[in-house]
Amino acid sequence: MKWIIIGLMAAVLSAQETTVIQNATVYTATKPAFVGSVAFSGGKITAVGDKLIVPPGAKVVDGTGLHVSPGIIDSHSHIAVQGFGVNEGSVSVSSMVQIRDVLDSEDIAIYRALAGGVTTANILHGSANAIGGNNQLIKMRWGKTVGELIMEGGTSSIKFALGENPKRAGNPTPQSGGVARYPATRMGVEDIYRQAFTEARAYQKSLADFKAGKLMMAPRRDLKLEALVEVLEGKRLVHCHAYRSDEMLMMMRVAEEFGFRLATFQHVQEGYKIAKEMALHGVAGAGFSDWWSYKMEVVDGIPFNMAVMTKKGVLAGINSDDAGLMRRLNTEAAKAMRYGGLTEEQALALVTINPAKQMKVDHLIGSIEPGKSADLVVWNKPPLSSYAVPQKVYIDGNLYFERDRDMSDRARRAAAKKALEDQLKQEAPAEQKKGGPPGRRGPANEESGQ
Amino acid sequence: MKYSLLLIAALASAQDSYLIRNATIHPVTGPEIANGSLLIENGKITGIGAKLVAPKGVKIVEAKGMHAWPGMINCATQIGISEVSSVRETNDTNEIGEFIPQVRAVVAVNPETEHIPVARANGLTAVLTLPAAIATGGGPGASTAGQSIVRGQAAMLRLDGWTWEDLALSQSAGMLVRFPAIQTVTFAFPAGRTEVPYAEAKRRYDGEMRKIDEFFEKCRRYQQAKKAATPNFQADVQLEAMLPVLEGRTPLLIAAQRERGIREAIDFCEKHKVKLVLMDVRKPGAQLARLAEKKIPVIVGQPTDLPMDEDDDYDAAYALPAVLHKAGVKFAFATYDNQFARNLPFEAGYAVAYGLPMDAAWKALTIDAAEIFGVGEMTGSLEKGKSADLLLSDGDPLEVRTQIKMLFIRGKNVSLENRQTRLYQKYLARP
Amino acid sequence: MRAILLFLLATVTAWSEVPSGMAIRNARVVTVSGAVLPKATVLIRDGLIENVGPDLPVPADAWLIEGEGLTVYPGLVDALSTLGQDARPSGPPAAAAAPAAPARGPEDRPRTFSWERIADKVRAADPRVETARGLGFTSTMTFPVSGIFAGQGAVMNLGDARPSRLIVQSPAGQYLSFALGGGGGGGRGFPSSLMGVIAYVRQCYLDLDYYKQAKAAYDRDPKGRTRPEYDRALEGLAESPRLLFPAVGLSEIDRILRFAKELKQPAVLYGLHEGFRAADLLKTAGYPVIVSTKWPTRQADADPDLVETTRALETRAKAPSTPGVLAAQGIKFAFSSDGQSAADMLRGVRKAMQMGLSEADALRALTLSPAEIFGVADRMGSIEKGKIANLVVTRGDLLSERPRIEYIIVDGVKYLPPVPPATPAAKEMTR
């Protein structure tokens, strides 16, 4: 009843067009599924319920036999980044770099993820160093520019990394040709954090001293330390790549020593072993369902991890770290029903509301509730079914993907490509006469980057 | 020889017999049987039908609400010869040498590998173990430079046994060949991307093509010399290993993702009159009809892999099995690795979601896979006389949430436990 | 020895051609800054345009050119080149070669040569200068191109006088390149990624603010204070009138526009092959751009079966439409040779004209616009009284397929175009 009233009010108050998906099975991610409607207007969900009065002038989408879920949220992705540059691995502390600076709005992986029901992703720095760069939350607004990918109101976060990756540069091979970069062991990884946060504390103090009038001049702004001070002050979330229980325990203790709380362990393969300690620290676990056996630190990875963490009070979530897996996080979540027996709601939450909570954006996205962004997926089958295929994907109420449209457009796209090829073929003879290989290396191509 | 056969028979006879009853039985080669029964004796299926009488002493498996399917077969793994793929010492893949047909994966299989119980837990009863990795997902980038050309023999393993001899459904199910390809762009770690002009890549390719042609000619001459029993005939381990290939008993396994590679592999096998199984097929293009016409079996690239090219339909890989099926190409599924070998049913699930009929998916997972590798007489369907390799599930095994309840391999009720389930129980119980 | 002789000869010739004045009488004058004068006289004295207009009296001492049937244009400008620099492949200046120890952060000022001035290094003996001049180019913006901060460029006239006489303006801007150090590993030092480069540039400008403040504070009251450390990298930035950023593709253009805005520095973008897709972004941002005339082509030695993306095809087909699109949007742009010969640059411009760029807009982008972009429009770029006498005198249209150039005037010095060795067509055949 409450929903109905809100729905009517929205229709009256908003000049924008309201859309209502009617008579579909609705998975809100916070309540059991039911057959009903979802209404949205002005980019936000305005009403959800089993009996919704359609406001006059609303656009009605018949959802009979279809299923509606919140947009999938991938809390660990490296798509939409120019080239392969997700690591500034030259140094052990690269908190001055920002994924935001290298986004690429034309990566086809965006569209493919969208077609798999993903509406939001956290684009993370890589795991080559203990303190990596700053991450960027984006929405899969395919066709828009780089600036428009960035999620409004998204939280700031930084990547940390433990274990084999950050110590790899400390053990250079002849082929990698490199000079050894500290650290080479997990012991050294801990040292990096304690050194960096000690330095950050000193920087924080000099900033405070200046504010208190104890210094004549503001200290030099240091982007590397600024990000770490934000971590100390709880303004920047830490998403920490980790596999083994020992390294995660170390990280929690270091964070506690410096007075901050970690947001998530990423991958978190052995989270099930220390769920108690994680719950106590308040860190969430975000990882894969069943990655294992490809390196030593994942040998104890088990697909029951998500279920154990969930049962023991850890906020668990599933993510991809991979452009391929990103497209099928729904079935990856379903594995938590298979392994460890989570309920359908619990499993769906692993890729919707839980990652939203992990990234502290659950007031904006992650479930079908009035006031949240109208990021919705319409499926042909229940979203956790192996046979579920997204039919429509909305972001902020805008239809960004429609399977029918994609399929009916294929012939046109192929023809357009053919036409381009033909056009270029016709021009080619003239070009050959003119050029031979393009001129010597010169200014604009010399070092223009990618 | 006789002795070992007797021994096997003795082992088998020591086994329990089972009557599975009230299950929905999916023989795959025949129509579904509702409320059916399956009789398992001496490791074989001895009865299948709506109503079977339980002989004395058989164990009854009450399977009401459950489904019986043949066990699934993963057609490309390194199970048994690679444990932790990034730790060199745990790998016995990728032997050195340009032409090493005599090298056999089966002899290096560790029966105690953890990958076997993990794969079994999801309803797999057999896997093909390749002696070397197939570069997957690489497209033009997959570097094969420096790898051997004829890379050794693949084994078809059942996922239960005491020794590698015991595990082997077929000790030599195929001869893995890295077919030469024109590669202008390659990726290698840590050197990164390297590019050579087309002319240079073509020159290298031509060189390798000459080599492989010459090698096959040499094998033919050896075959003829042996047949003619010429007085100075000298036995040769390497060439001897190629005889089953030349005689058409063992197929070449060639990975060819795109149209050009597929065309060249077929041309080569026609020229040398040898059997072919294409692996990791992704974009057959205009060769599709030829695959059907020449009845060349295909192990499809992973449906859940990304499409190869930016402009491909977003669902191109998901939909390829349906395309192959429609064209009449015989195919099977594989994961091409160990880590995700257990996800085989979900690979098929995506193929079904994007258009492959369910019965075709099951054929591909079972009988077609078995037939492609020459073990179709023994396993791959629920039929009288076949090895009792089957699973019981509480629903559709291609659905992720479905539980595998029991698994039988050669009639043995094998455990679904593994190190992962033990870790799960241990830490779930942690105070 | 021979070089010296040539240099002397050139000097003598140049001087011998400078009478006290020059007049081109009754020619068609394309001023670019104003209307085309169908019949006007251009008076030149002391390297400057003394006057221009119809019916001007010709001074008695002036060298007279009868302009009947001739057209006078402002000299052409290559807005971004390495003309006048050593022909050897550009690398970092020898003195500043890569440091032995890898950089560990922004404080080590990696790959930075911001203080270097190309004006101190140019030489007229670069044979490309004479070639470009022969085709009507009288000026260029020549830039160092190696390093993240590569150094200060200069506006240079393409005469053959002493280098110090050729420089019109220095510094003309700081050239940035986003070349990567390579890899995610530690070996080669900071920065090793594009985001590292951008973070470095950002930190440098924060450091510059701090540096200025610290210096000012110290200068006000040095007693009892530790003096700020001298930082040549920041000194270089402080004297950069503008930053030249690479931006070829759409995402790069978008990124750089936002970054330049953030830095609050005058910026010029170079490259712009996908400018045709970014017109709205560019118009909103309001930064001028330098369009590379080296249009993308299909790789000459590509695999014939290479799958190209629609995006790449579209960029190839439409990149030359960029100048026309920019002109229509009123976005200020100039052209660069981008490492090509002057002849190829002009071919590139004509290609843009075939794809919608008007002749007048093309001419402006080759003359006045680059002068405006680099802040020297008060002294060059058009035919106006008092400006530097950089002119091209032709019979017919300068931007036609085969322009007939009669004279080129640089700093008031008259040059004849080189005698073509053969017909242009024959010359092309031999390339």
Side-chain angles (χ1 to χ4, degrees):
Chain A
M1 188 56 199
K2 196 172 126 210
W3 301 141
I4 299 171
I5 294 165
I6 293 170
L8 284 172
M9 277 168 56
V12 173
L13 294 174
S14 165
Q16 277 148 316
E17 187 186 76
T18 297
T19 304
V20 182
I21 303 171
Q22 249 186 347
N23 199 30
T25 308
V26 181
Y27 303 74
T28 66
T30 52
K31 290 184 297 179
F34 61 92
V35 174
S37 305
V38 181
F40 50 91
S41 171
K44 300 261 188 269
I45 296 165
T46 50
V48 51
D50 52 357
K51 285 201 176 60
L52 224 61
I53 298 169
V54 179
K59 188 175 171 222
V60 173
V61 177
D62 182 13
T64 309
L66 299 175
H67 305 259
V68 182
S69 79
I72 304 282
I73 300 171
D74 187 354
S75 63
H76 191 137
S77 174
H78 301 296
I79 67 163
V81 170
Q82 193 97 48
F84 297 97
V86 299
N87 274 302
E88 178 53 59
S90 61
V91 285
S92 274
V93 181
S94 66
S95 43
M96 73 292 274
V97 306
Q98 311 248 9
I99 285 290
R100 189 191 184 101
D101 288 336
V102 289
L103 289 175
D104 174 8
S105 57
E106 298 195 278
D107 185 351
I108 189 66
I110 298 173
Y111 183 73
R112 290 171 177 167
L114 181 69
V118 177
T119 53
T120 304
N122 203 12
I123 309 302
L124 301 189
H125 183 275
S127 53
N129 43 4
I131 297 184
N134 299 291
N135 314 314
Q136 185 59 51
L137 267 161
I138 67 168
K139 287 205 171 184
M140 303 289 117
R141 296 182 182 118
W142 178 246
K144 297 292 172 69
T145 59
V146 167
E148 290 162 302
L149 288 183
I150 291 167
M151 177 183 168
E152 306 78 5
T155 42
S156 305
S157 67
I158 190 167
K159 179 79 173 286
F160 285 5
L162 309 176
E164 293 179 13
N165 292 6
K167 69 179 184 144
R168 184 167 297 126
N171 302 289
T173 58
Q175 295 95 319
S176 70
V179 185
R181 183 209 73 192
Y182 186 80
T185 67
R186 283 181 170 83
M187 301 181 288
V189 171
E190 189 210 24
D191 180 41
I192 290 286
Y193 290 113
R194 302 185 71 246
Q195 298 277 2
F197 280 105
T198 302
E199 201 186 341
R201 267 186 178 169
Y203 182 65
Q204 186 185 29
K205 182 174 181 301
S206 68
L207 291 171
D209 286 351
F210 173 69
K211 224 173 171 183
K214 290 187 205 161
L215 294 176
M216 305 258 293
M217 243 182 83
R220 165 186 176 255
R221 277 192 67 191
D222 186 318
L223 293 172
K224 179 180 89 174
L225 296 176
E226 266 181 19
L228 297 182
V229 168
E230 286 169 13
V231 170
L232 287 173
E233 294 175 352
K235 294 172 189 159
R236 185 172 290 280
L237 304 178
V238 176
H239 298 303
C240 182
H241 159 115
Y243 291 94
R244 272 180 18 193
S245 62
D246 48 275
E247 62 198 24
M248 290 192 273
L249 194 58
M250 174 279 284
M251 191 72 244
M252 288 189 276
R253 297 303 172 246
V254 168
E256 285 158 10
E257 177 187 341
F258 286 93
F260 65 93
R261 182 179 295 163
L262 304 162
T264 66
F265 283 121
Q266 297 286 315
H267 311 325
V268 68
Q269 242 76 352
E270 295 186 8
Y272 67 96
K273 292 184 180 176
I274 49 159
K276 189 164 86 175
E277 287 80 2
M278 286 174 66
L280 218 59
H281 177 89
V283 61
F288 321 115
S289 168
D290 51 9
W291 293 37
W292 73 297
S293 86
Y294 58 101
K295 54 177 176 176
M296 278 319 289
E297 63 189 358
V298 298
V299 162
D300 278 3
I302 65 170
F304 307 90
N305 191 25
M306 291 300 145
V308 178
M309 287 196 296
T310 301
K311 287 170 184 172
K312 292 188 178 243
V314 174
L315 179 66
I318 281 184
N319 57 29
S320 79
D321 191 15
D322 176 81
L325 180 57
M326 191 176 185
R327 306 166 304 152
R328 39 196 177 82
L329 283 167
N330 59 320
T331 54
E332 196 71 357
K335 287 177 183 168
M337 299 167 72
R338 180 186 189 91
Y339 305 107
L342 292 192
T343 65
E344 189 171 41
E345 283 160 68
Q346 283 176 317
L348 181 62
L350 295 174
V351 291
T352 54
I353 188 66
N354 288 9
K357 285 178 182 167
Q358 291 178 343
M359 300 185 288
K360 309 272 188 282
V361 288
D362 53 309
H363 56 298
L364 301 172
I365 55 172
S367 61
I368 303 183
E369 291 175 274
K372 289 199 183 181
S373 290
D375 297 354
L376 302 166
V377 187
V378 180
W379 312 78
N380 61 341
K381 297 274 165 58
L384 298 185
S385 165
S386 292
Y387 311 122
V389 176
Q391 305 296 307
K392 290 180 162 68
V393 181
Y394 296 88
I395 299 175
D396 315 309
N398 296 315
L399 190 57
Y400 274 90
F401 171 77
E402 199 174 6
R403 180 158 164 82
D404 285 348
R405 194 172 61 190
D406 179 286
M407 298 214 291
S408 63
D409 200 32
R410 288 175 184 184
R412 187 200 60 77
R413 285 202 302 268
K417 182 170 187 178
K418 181 79 179 32
L420 272 174
E421 281 167 344
D422 291 347
Q423 181 196 333
L424 287 164
K425 237 173 246 163
Q426 276 186 347
E427 289 170 14
E431 260 171 28
Q432 233 137 54
K433 199 176 100 194
K434 158 187 107 186
R440 281 192 317 115
R441 300 179 60 173
N445 70 319
E446 173 99 340
E447 288 197 302
S448 55
Q450 311 301 298
Chain B
M1 186 67 190
K2 206 160 205 170
Y3 175 75
S4 67
L5 280 176
L6 281 172
L7 191 69
I8 288 168
L11 280 171
S13 64
Q15 277 183 1
D16 291 326
S17 298
Y18 296 92
L19 181 77
I20 300 165
R21 66 182 188 198
N22 291 323
T24 307
I25 299 174
H26 307 266
V28 172
T29 45
E32 179 184 310
I33 305 161
N35 291 317
S37 303
L38 256 171
L39 185 60
I40 300 171
E41 293 171 305
N42 294 325
K44 292 203 162 40
I45 297 167
T46 52
I48 178 166
K51 275 270 179 297
L52 291 183
V53 184
K56 256 216 166 81
V58 304
K59 295 192 168 172
I60 304 289
V61 177
E62 179 54 60
K64 198 167 169 49
M66 289 207 260
H67 296 257
W69 299 87
M72 291 177 266
I73 302 173
N74 189 332
C75 293
T77 72
Q78 282 97 48
I79 285 183
I81 62 170
S82 169
E83 199 65 24
V84 179
S85 53
S86 69
V87 180
R88 184 69 198 102
E89 290 75 7
T90 71
N91 291 325
D92 281 298
T93 55
N94 302 326
E95 187 49 272
I96 300 166
E98 235 174 3
F99 296 95
I100 46 170
Q102 69 275 25
V103 162
R104 302 193 294 154
V106 73
V107 301
V109 168
N110 170 15
E112 205 56 49
T113 175
E114 194 54 33
H115 289 281
I116 287 180
V118 167
R120 261 188 337 224
N122 276 8
L124 277 66
T125 53
V127 298
L128 187 75
T129 289
L130 298 169
I134 289 179
T136 64
S143 177
T144 53
Q147 291 181 354
S148 57
I149 295 176
V150 173
R151 317 198 67 189
Q153 299 168 37
M156 182 62 84
L157 306 176
R158 60 168 70 86
L159 294 183
D160 182 60
W162 296 99
T163 65
W164 57 257
E165 280 178 315
D166 196 16
L167 286 161
L169 267 162
S170 166
Q171 294 199 0
S172 182
M175 183 67 72
L176 185 63
V177 171
R178 174 183 65 82
F179 199 73
I182 304 171
Q183 289 185 303
T184 53
V185 179
T186 54
F187 286 97
F189 187 80
R193 188 179 192 271
T194 43
E195 201 169 338
V196 294
Y198 175 74
E200 169 62 17
K202 177 77 163 58
R203 196 186 58 77
R204 286 182 200 172
Y205 161 84
D206 288 342
E208 284 202 335
M209 278 308 291
R210 254 197 316 278
K211 268 191 201 168
I212 190 171
D213 268 330
E214 271 169 24
F215 178 72
F216 273 72
E217 286 304 325
K218 194 165 135 194
C219 294
R220 271 294 170 214
R221 282 205 301 275
Y222 178 82
Q223 184 192 32
Q224 283 156 5
K226 189 180 179 188
K227 211 177 192 174
T230 50
N232 46 5
F233 172 78
Q234 283 267 331
D236 181 299
V237 172
Q238 178 201 36
L239 301 177
E240 194 73 28
M242 285 294 289
L243 295 182
V245 173
L246 300 185
E247 289 158 8
R249 287 185 285 130
T250 302
L252 294 188
L253 312 181
I254 296 179
Q257 298 173 332
R258 293 173 186 272
E259 189 174 335
R260 181 167 74 192
I262 293 168
R263 188 182 63 231
E264 290 174 355
I266 299 175
D267 289 348
F268 178 84
C269 290
E270 283 184 348
K271 178 177 161 190
H272 291 284
K273 301 190 177 57
V274 295
K275 260 168 71 179
L276 169 65
V277 176
L278 282 167
M279 315 281 288
D280 201 21
V281 167
R282 288 154 190 254
K283 288 187 85 174
Q287 291 294 306
L288 184 64
R290 195 170 171 214
L291 291 173
E293 183 200 330
K294 306 272 180 191
K295 298 198 187 324
I296 294 165
V298 160
I299 310 306
V300 68
Q302 284 193 91
T304 59
D305 260 351
L306 287 163
M308 296 200 82
D309 299 312
E310 179 173 315
D311 291 336
D312 289 348
D313 295 337
Y314 81 91
D315 60 358
Y318 295 141
L320 178 61
V323 170
L324 293 173
H325 171 71
K326 214 171 154 193
V329 178
K330 185 170 187 167
F331 70 94
F333 292 104
T335 59
Y336 300 91
D337 76 345
N338 292 354
Q339 182 185 188
F340 299 128
R342 61 172 157 201
N343 286 340
L344 190 76
F346 316 136
E347 294 288 334
Y350 271 92
V352 171
Y354 288 84
L356 181 68
M358 186 68 95
D359 60 341
W362 272 101
K363 282 204 171 107
L365 284 167
T366 58
I367 186 67
D368 287 354
E371 283 177 0
I372 289 170
F373 293 104
V375 295
E377 300 290 314
M378 282 183 269
T379 188
S381 60
L382 303 183
E383 290 178 77
K384 231 187 214 175
K386 280 200 169 179
S387 176
D389 303 332
L390 60 102
L391 63 89
L392 286 180
S393 64
D394 64 358
D396 168 6
L398 308 195
E399 275 286 10
V400 175
R401 72 183 74 180
T402 297
Q403 303 288 316
I404 305 297
K405 295 294 192 182
M406 289 179 93
L407 192 75
F408 293 84
I409 296 178
R410 248 185 321 183
K412 180 179 160 194
N413 177 10
V414 294
S415 166
L416 296 175
E417 270 192 15
N418 53 47
R419 186 156 182 278
Q420 301 182 347
T421 60
R422 287 190 293 273
L423 281 168
Y424 169 50
Q425 296 301 343
K426 176 179 173 183
Y427 283 96
L428 192 64
R430 182 190 160 193
Chain C
M1 181 61 199
R2 193 160 150 241
I4 295 171
L5 201 66
L6 280 173
F7 178 72
L8 286 173
L9 275 172
T11 313
V12 170
T13 322
W15 282 357
S16 68
E17 290 207 8
V18 186
S20 44
M22 204 187 318
I24 308 165
R25 184 163 66 185
N26 291 337
R28 178 171 170 262
V29 179
V30 181
T31 62
V32 175
S33 53
V36 175
L37 309 173
K39 197 170 184 184
T41 298
V42 183
L43 299 180
I44 298 161
R45 188 174 294 277
D46 298 333
L48 302 175
I49 298 167
E50 189 179 22
N51 207 348
V52 57
D55 306 321
L56 293 177
V58 174
D61 65 341
W63 186 308
L64 179 66
I65 295 170
E66 279 301 346
E68 205 67 53
L70 299 180
T71 306
V72 187
Y73 294 93
L76 302 182
V77 182
D78 179 349
L80 183 52
S81 78
T82 55
L83 289 181
Q85 301 176 38
D86 275 343
R88 72 176 162 78
S90 53
R104 285 156 309 167
E107 295 72 19
D108 289 341
R109 304 286 182 243
R111 301 204 296 283
T112 295
F113 315 100
S114 56
W115 61 90
E116 304 255 0
R117 288 171 176 238
I118 207 68
D120 299 341
K121 296 177 185 174
V122 294
R123 54 193 196 98
D126 178 355
R128 294 176 300 163
V129 168
E130 195 183 343
T131 310
R133 187 172 63 221
L135 289 164
F137 286 89
T138 59
S139 308
T140 188
M141 285 64 180
T142 185
F143 274 82
V145 293
S146 290
I148 296 172
F149 290 108
Q152 309 279 8
V155 182
M156 179 178 107
N157 277 351
L158 299 177
D160 56 6
R162 281 198 310 279
S164 55
R165 293 186 62 92
L166 298 176
I167 300 301
V168 177
Q169 180 78 286
S170 173
Q174 183 73 227
Y175 186 94
L176 283 89
S177 68
F178 288 172
L180 303 182
R188 275 164 281 191
F190 178 87
S192 67
S193 66
L194 179 59
M195 61 186 161
V197 173
I198 293 175
Y200 171 58
V201 172
R202 180 181 284 128
Q203 182 67 58
C204 280
Y205 275 92
L206 293 175
D207 288 352
L208 178 59
D209 283 348
Y210 180 78
Y211 187 67
K212 285 177 178 167
Q213 276 185 48
K215 275 212 305 193
Y218 180 76
D219 288 345
R220 269 196 308 275
D221 183 16
K223 285 205 181 102
R225 285 173 182 263
T226 308
R227 68 181 183 282
E229 191 181 334
Y230 174 77
D231 189 331
R232 61 181 180 175
L234 301 180
E235 296 285 345
L237 295 191
E239 63 180 23
S240 302
R242 58 190 62 80
L243 301 181
L244 272 66
F245 286 105
V248 177
L250 176 62
S251 284
E252 280 178 289
I253 292 169
D254 191 358
R255 167 184 314 133
I256 292 302
L257 290 176
R258 286 182 297 122
F259 187 47
K261 200 171 159 199
E262 177 196 327
L263 290 180
K264 297 191 181 75
Q265 296 291 322
V268 180
L269 277 57
Y270 65 83
L272 278 297
H273 280 164
E274 290 190 350
F276 67 95
R277 305 174 60 199
D280 289 349
L281 288 172
L282 289 164
K283 192 174 169 65
T284 309
Y287 295 111
V289 301
I290 299 171
V291 181
S292 158
T293 53
K294 189 170 155 189
W295 306 123
T297 53
R298 186 181 161 92
Q299 196 190 323
D301 52 8
D303 188 326
D305 287 348
L306 172 78
V307 181
E308 287 191 282
T309 64
T310 303
R311 205 144 55 104
L313 294 170
E314 193 187 17
T315 298
R316 230 164 66 214
K318 294 186 182 166
S321 74
T322 293
V325 170
L326 297 178
Q329 293 288 321
I331 297 157
K332 184 155 294 177
F333 70 98
F335 285 114
S336 79
S337 52
D338 195 0
Q340 301 176 105
S341 72
D344 283 342
M345 174 172 169
L346 289 173
R347 273 193 201 92
V349 173
R350 285 197 296 272
K351 176 102 185 172
M353 288 164 66
Q354 287 160 23
M355 298 195 58
L357 179 68
S358 74
E359 188 180 353
D361 287 336
L363 198 60
R364 196 178 203 288
L366 284 164
T367 56
L368 190 55
S369 291
E372 287 167 352
I373 290 170
F374 286 93
V376 288
D378 54 354
R379 64 207 71 176
M380 58 178 276
S382 62
I383 303 180
E384 289 178 74
K385 187 174 171 177
K387 282 195 175 180
I388 295 167
N390 285 350
L391 306 168
V392 195
V393 183
T394 64
R395 202 169 286 282
D397 289 341
L398 176 57
L399 295 181
S400 68
E401 194 81 28
R402 302 238 163 79
R404 285 177 58 192
I405 296 176
E406 298 286 323
Y407 309 103
I408 306 105
I409 297 162
V410 182
D411 274 323
V413 180
K414 179 161 67 77
Y415 298 87
L416 296 173
V419 180
T423 65
K427 184 181 168 195
E428 275 172 2
M429 297 290 280
T430 60
R431 281 166 56 102

